[in-house]
């Protein structure tokens, strides 16, 4: 076959940590399929089933990419996280060798990673171009927790092997990447209105209360207090009397975020970006020890579209005392920077088109 006519083959590595990386990667993979007719293979861990349901026809293969962090409530458990990271690094060389064989055998043309570091080294050794896609790196997270050491130096070295990175809005400096490309929000577009979603009433304020799968369900202790003031929407894996649950098996969760009047959540990047795209204000509570939160909470407050709330206020439900003022932040969305209004998926696919 003429090489100019062959569909580009892309291997996409999605972080195993939560579903937020998967949500934005799904948006980009759909864009690659629509605009470049790319043949995409996904390598990921815990989000594999969700990504397979969201991407019919795409091969989603389970692999251990990264350990993330381990939480104790809303606080990073440094000791358990360090044990997990050290175990991860002990498999480093075997992982790179395995991924080299995988990429070579499948004739991959481009490697994308959000934001596992080892694939960049495998791609570099094979001469395959590679790009990062993220708003943060594990180098930032682990340096914040443990300082500069052999562990973080090894991770930085892997990131430097990439040809560049797409920097999503609200990103940290990400200086470990040599070629940095600023892009707009990479989010799945809304496909249904609030009226089209089952079980949602338009009579009371609808608030999404999200803790993420990495957090303990204790974040929902103050649910009874909050229920007096609004209707609460909770993630599909959380079943609490009196709330509305996103249906298990739902793939287009961005539709449910867009239907809300307010999002109360830990600073999960995809939740934040989907809320911004839909014009839904945010109330964010911090994860102690997670360096990414400074950039996300600070950025949202700077834009005037959200505020930080204390963990205690989330736990006891007292955040509802400010419900009206928080929802009123919706008026500030018209003034946000253009980068948040741009189609980041198109930004990325335009650059990738030039590479492949």
């Amino acid at each position: 076959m003429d090489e100019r006519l062959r569909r580009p083959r892309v291997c996409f590595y999605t972080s195993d940590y939560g579903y937020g990386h998967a949500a934005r990667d799904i948006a980009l993979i759909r864009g690659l399929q629509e605009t470049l007719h790319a043949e995409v293979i996904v390598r990921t861990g815990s989000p594999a089933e969700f990504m397979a349901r969201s991407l019919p026809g795409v091969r989603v293969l389970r692999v251990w990419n990264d350990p993330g962090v381990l939480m104790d409530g809303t606080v990073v458990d440094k000791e358990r996280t360090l044990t997990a990271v050290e175990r991860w690094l002990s498999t480093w060389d075997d992982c790179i060798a395995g991924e080299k064989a995988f990429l070579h055998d499948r004739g991959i043309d481009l490697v994308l990673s959000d934001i596992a570091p080892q694939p960049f080294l495998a791609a570099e050794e094979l001469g395959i171009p590679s790009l990062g896609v993220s708003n943060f790196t594990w180098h930032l997270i682990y340096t914040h927790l443990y300082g500069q050491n052999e562990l973080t130096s090894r991770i930085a070295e892997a990131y430097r092997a990439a040809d560049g990175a797409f920097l999503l809005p609200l990103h940290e400096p990400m200086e470990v990447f040599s070629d940095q490309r600023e892009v707009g929000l990479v989010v799945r577009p809304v496909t249904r209105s609030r009226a089209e979603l089952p079980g949602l009433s338009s009579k009371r304020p609808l608030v999404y209360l999200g803790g993420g799968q990495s957090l303990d369900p204790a974040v929902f202790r103050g649910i009874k207090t909050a229920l007096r003031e609004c209707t609460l929407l909770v993630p599909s894996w959380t079943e609490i009397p009196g709330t509305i649950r996103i249906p298990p098996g739902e793939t287009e969760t961005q539709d449910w975020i867009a239907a809300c009047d307010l999002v109360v959540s830990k600073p999960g990047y995809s939740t934040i970006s989907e809320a911004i795209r839909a014009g839904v204000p945010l109330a964010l509570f911090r994860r102690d020890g997670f360096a990414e939160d400074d950039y996300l909470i600070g950025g949202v407050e700077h834009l005037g579209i959200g505020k930080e709330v204390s963990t205690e206020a989330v736990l006891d439900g007292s955040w509802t005392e400010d419900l009206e003022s928080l929802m009123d932040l919706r008026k500030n969305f018209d003034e946000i920077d253009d980068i948040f209004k741009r189609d980041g998926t198109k930004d990325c696919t335009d650059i990738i088109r030039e590479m492949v």
Side-chain angles (χ1 to χ4, degrees):
M1 178 184 291
D2 189 328
E3 280 295 308
R4 294 171 298 178
L5 301 178
R6 184 171 67 81
R7 296 168 62 195
R9 293 174 182 160
V10 178
C11 189
F12 208 127
Y13 292 83
T14 296
S15 174
D16 304 346
Y17 188 65
Y19 279 24
H21 297 265
R24 65 193 186 197
D25 295 347
I26 288 165
L28 182 49
I29 291 167
R30 288 172 175 171
L32 290 170
Q33 291 178 307
E34 291 170 8
T35 61
L36 303 182
H37 307 291
E39 179 183 342
V40 182
I41 299 174
V42 176
R43 303 277 274 170
T44 191
S46 56
E49 183 182 351
F50 171 60
M51 295 190 76
R53 284 189 283 108
S54 300
L55 298 165
V58 172
R59 293 189 67 193
V60 180
L61 305 176
R62 281 189 176 272
V63 67
W64 186 35
N65 284 328
D66 47 27
V69 297
L70 300 175
M71 305 295 296
D72 180 8
T74 59
V75 179
V76 173
D77 188 323
K78 292 179 64 174
E79 184 175 341
R80 289 171 58 225
T81 297
L82 181 58
T83 298
V85 173
E86 289 175 339
R87 183 167 72 90
W88 175 53
L89 287 175
S90 72
T91 68
W92 194 266
D93 293 338
D94 289 342
C95 172
I96 293 168
E99 293 313 310
K100 278 179 61 180
F102 180 87
L103 297 172
H104 178 269
D105 291 348
R106 284 156 181 79
I108 297 300
D109 300 304
L110 174 68
V111 167
L112 298 173
S113 181
D114 177 8
I115 185 75
Q118 310 98 310
F120 299 121
L121 289 169
E124 181 186 48
E125 292 187 26
L126 292 171
I128 299 172
S130 63
L131 294 169
V133 184
S134 191
N135 63 296
F136 79 99
T137 65
W138 292 119
H139 178 260
L140 168 80
I141 302 302
Y142 298 139
T143 299
H144 178 76
L145 290 171
Y146 309 114
Q148 293 280 1
N149 54 37
E150 183 179 351
L151 178 157
T152 56
S153 295
R154 199 169 189 185
I155 294 170
E157 178 187 13
Y159 285 136
R160 282 193 287 269
D163 291 280
F166 295 127
L167 274 55
L168 303 175
L170 303 177
H171 61 81
E172 52 116 330
M174 296 177 70
E175 294 170 345
V176 288
F177 288 101
S178 56
D179 185 11
Q180 302 176 349
R181 310 286 187 98
E182 299 264 0
V183 298
L185 292 173
V186 176
V187 295
R188 299 167 296 170
V190 174
T191 62
R192 293 166 292 179
S193 69
R194 179 164 170 169
E196 294 174 294
L197 297 173
L200 296 187
S201 168
S202 59
K203 296 180 180 179
R204 303 182 76 210
L206 180 65
V207 178
Y208 176 71
L209 183 59
Q213 290 198 338
S214 61
L215 292 187
D216 190 282
V219 298
F220 299 108
R221 281 206 307 261
I223 208 87
K224 291 182 179 178
T225 300
L227 282 170
R228 291 198 292 265
E229 305 297 331
C230 58
T231 298
L232 288 178
L233 177 71
V234 297
S236 60
W237 58 85
T238 306
E239 192 166 9
I240 300 175
T243 67
I244 297 174
R245 181 167 65 144
I246 295 176
E250 172 68 76
T251 57
E252 307 311 305
T253 51
Q254 75 278 10
D255 293 350
W256 296 80
I257 298 293
C260 292
D261 299 294
L262 177 70
V263 166
V264 178
S265 177
K266 59 100 172 175
Y269 186 87
S270 284
T271 299
I272 291 173
S273 59
E274 288 171 356
I276 292 175
R277 178 53 54 86
V280 179
L282 296 137
L284 303 172
F285 59 91
R286 190 176 296 270
R287 298 164 293 183
D288 188 16
F290 208 94
E292 179 194 17
D293 289 6
D294 291 338
Y295 297 93
L296 297 178
I297 294 174
V300 165
E301 289 192 322
H302 176 73
L303 292 170
I305 58 172
K307 291 184 178 179
E308 180 175 0
V309 294
S310 70
T311 304
E312 291 73 19
V314 175
L315 290 175
D316 63 22
S318 61
W319 59 268
T320 55
E321 296 171 6
D322 298 318
L323 180 60
E324 291 298 327
S325 63
L326 288 168
M327 291 193 300
D328 192 50
L329 295 174
R330 184 184 289 268
K331 66 179 184 294
N332 296 331
F333 275 92
D334 289 340
E335 306 301 322
I336 61 175
D337 299 338
D338 287 343
I339 191 75
F340 295 96
K341 301 174 183 178
R342 271 174 34 196
D343 183 349
T345 300
K346 184 178 185 303
D347 290 343
C348 293
T349 55
D350 285 348
I351 294 169
I352 291 171
R353 186 195 306 274
E354 298 175 4
M355 298 182 67
V356 300

